[in-house]
Each structure stands twice: as C-alpha cells, then as structure tokens.
Amino acid sequence: MQAITKNNFDFIRVLLAFIVFVGHLGALSASEKLLFLTHSPVEVAVFSFFIVSGFLIARSYERASSLKSYAKKRFNRIVPAYLLVVFLCAILLSLVSTLSFTEYFSNTQVYKYLFWNSLFLNFKAPWLPGVFGNQAVNGALWTLKIEICFYIAVPLMFLLFGKNNKYRTISLIVLYFISLVYLNYFEMTGKAALSRQLPGSLCYFIGGMLVYFHFDKFIKHKHLLFIIAIITVWIDLIFKIKLFSPIMISIIVLYIAYSFSFLNNFGKYGDFTYGIYIFHFPIIRVFATLGLFANYNPYLMSIVCMFTVIGVGIASWHLYEKRFL
C-alpha cells in the first residue's frame, strides 16, 4: 500500500464537529433568529465521522503490533474523555437543576444516568432530574456506542475476511448492502432515528474501510472518482434513496483528506475535536437554560458559546485527553 502520511484528517474532524455544533445550536437555542442554523447538515457530518473512523481504524488495526495494543489505543482515545463528560454533567449540572442540591443528589435518576451512560447506553437514562426540563442532557453521545461497536467489529472483520483483498472486498460489499437495506427500510417507514443506529450506519464505516483497502487505486484516480461521487450523490438525492451515496460520500471526504496540502498542519497544536464534540451539546443547553440566547443578542451569544465550546475542547485535550495517549 502506498505510503502517504500527509493528510487533512485534523481539519476534516474540526470541520465536521463545527457543522454538528452549528446545527445543534440552531435546534437547542430556542431562538427564532438562530433557527436557520438547523439547516446545517448534521447527519452528513456524523456519517462522515463514521467514514473517517472506518479508514483510520482499519489502518490502526493493520499497523498495530497486537490486538492488545490496538484495544489499548482505542480505549484510551474514547473512554477516559467520555467518562469525564458523563461525570462532569452529573455533578455540575446540579447548578442549573430546578431541584435543590439535596433533592438532586438524593434522586435515583442521577445515579441511573451515571450508570447507564458509563456503559454507553445513553438511551436508558438520557436525562437528569430538573435539568433542561428533563430532556436529553447530551444528545451527541449516541454516536459513541456505535463507535465502540466499530472498534470491536474491525478485528472480527480482519479475522473473518483474512488478508485476501479480493475476498475481503466482496465480503465488505455484501455487508454494505445489508446495511443499506436496513437504513433505507427504516427511513422509508418514518423511523429515521432508528435507521441511524447499527447496522444502518455501518455502510458509511465500510465506505471508509473500502477506500483504505484500495488506497493506491483511490489516490491514482481520486480526481475522477471525486467527480463521479459528486454526480452520484446528487442522483441519490433526487431519487430520495441511499444506494451508492454512502460510498460516494466516503470518496468525497477522503478526497478532501488527501488534497489541499496547505491544510496538512491544521492539528499541530492538538486534537481538540473529540472534546468539542462531546461537550458542545450540554454547553449549548446551559446557555439556553440561563436565557442567554433569549435575553441578549443571540448572534453575539452564539459566538460566545462557540468560543466557550472551543475553550473547553482545548482544555479537555491539554489537561486530560492527551495524558492517556
């Protein structure tokens, strides 16, 4: 496989996190003036994260010296910061709860939240008592359980498919179409939220893996593939069906990752994306709960909120995340 090390993955991840932040800002701020932000393509950004994961995790496992080494790296990248945000939300959001401290910490829902969210089962206890009107504390965390499943799936795929690229490719394509059947069925039956869960999101992850396994061919023909991908995505949009668009979006995302060399050093000061992603949702909700969007200029508060999220992301990386890596 061709050794190309320079890429724009740091830029792409920050861009995707920003797209998600903007969309959630429009939805959670409860400000009519910010409603236009809900047009931000959050779903595409989330699926693009899965594509990047498919590429990078396949590469990480193939390069790992052992299964233990791979598992340790993947665990340290996701779990410590994830548990931190769950713990901090359970403790600090007591400050914005409508309940008193005594009522809040004596409420069993707090401990249900800590237990189920620590196991990545956010849907079992998504809310905290008296916080945000008992609505979901951190709706962005649903993707992390899927990410963990992908981490587990990759070694199994390598074990089942072996290193024969032809057999591996055929097997991944079969899984791709099984995933698409699930995804399209639930979207067409009006259950879009369910369609995004496994195995519906698997087709995007597989898209990233397929590009990785055929990286040399991808690099050689990337400009032509990019044009074909753009056209194909538009065709899928016209017919309102996801058939080839997941793999084509994979090509588009990874084309950006291996083009535009001026973006290569975007992450030289650290990888803040994960912190921005896991903390932004509750921060926006705190701003909304405190009436900052309603009582002050919502555009100004959006900027303040954005810099707060970025600041927390930077602090999370330098003070906590990178210690585990």
Side-chain angles (χ1 to χ4, degrees), residues 223-240:
H223 298 300
L224 176 61
L225 287 170
F226 178 74
I227 295 169
I228 294 171
I230 293 290
I231 295 170
T232 308
V233 168
W234 275 109
I235 291 172
D236 273 16
L237 286 172
I238 291 168
F239 287 98
K240 295 181 180 179

Side-chain angles (χ1 to χ4, degrees), residues 9-18 20-21 49-50 52-53 73-86 117-118 120 122 138 140-148 151 266 270-283 309-318 320-325:
F9 283 119
D10 291 319
F11 167 76
I12 288 173
R13 284 189 292 233
V14 170
L15 175 63
L16 297 177
F18 183 74
V20 174
F21 165 77
F49 271 124
F50 293 153
V52 171
S53 290
K73 286 179 180 178
R74 299 277 58 84
F75 179 93
N76 287 344
R77 187 66 194 98
I78 289 290
V79 177
Y82 174 86
L83 293 178
L84 176 67
V85 73
V86 169
N117 281 267
S118 295
F120 292 86
N122 322 92
N138 199 340
L141 296 186
W142 71 271
T143 62
L144 275 300
K145 66 179 180 295
I146 295 176
E147 191 79 4
I148 291 291
Y151 288 178
F266 196 84
D271 184 2
F272 316 132
T273 309
Y274 187 44
I276 289 171
Y277 183 81
I278 62 176
F279 280 102
H280 80 275
F281 199 98
I283 290 174
V309 168
I310 292 171
V312 170
I314 292 172
S316 176
W317 170 257
H318 282 294
Y320 189 74
E321 292 174 57
K322 72 177 184 180
R323 296 174 183 269
F324 294 91
L325 301 177

Side-chain angles (χ1 to χ4, degrees), residues 118-187:
S118 295
L119 296 177
F120 292 86
L121 299 176
N122 322 92
F123 62 93
K124 297 285 286 183
W127 58 279
L128 286 166
V131 176
F132 309 147
N134 289 349
Q135 294 179 324
V137 168
N138 199 340
L141 296 186
W142 71 271
T143 62
L144 275 300
K145 66 179 180 295
I146 295 176
E147 191 79 4
I148 291 291
C149 290
F150 289 155
Y151 288 178
I152 296 169
V154 166
L156 293 176
M157 288 179 180
F158 271 80
L159 180 66
L160 290 171
F161 305 157
K163 294 187 176 181
N164 184 306
N165 215 29
K166 182 179 179 181
Y167 176 60
R168 185 163 54 188
T169 298
I170 292 171
S171 302
L172 285 174
I173 290 172
V174 171
L175 284 176
Y176 174 86
F177 282 106
I178 291 173
S179 173
L180 280 180
V181 169
Y182 177 96
L183 178 66
N184 284 290
Y185 172 77
F186 283 105
E187 283 201 346

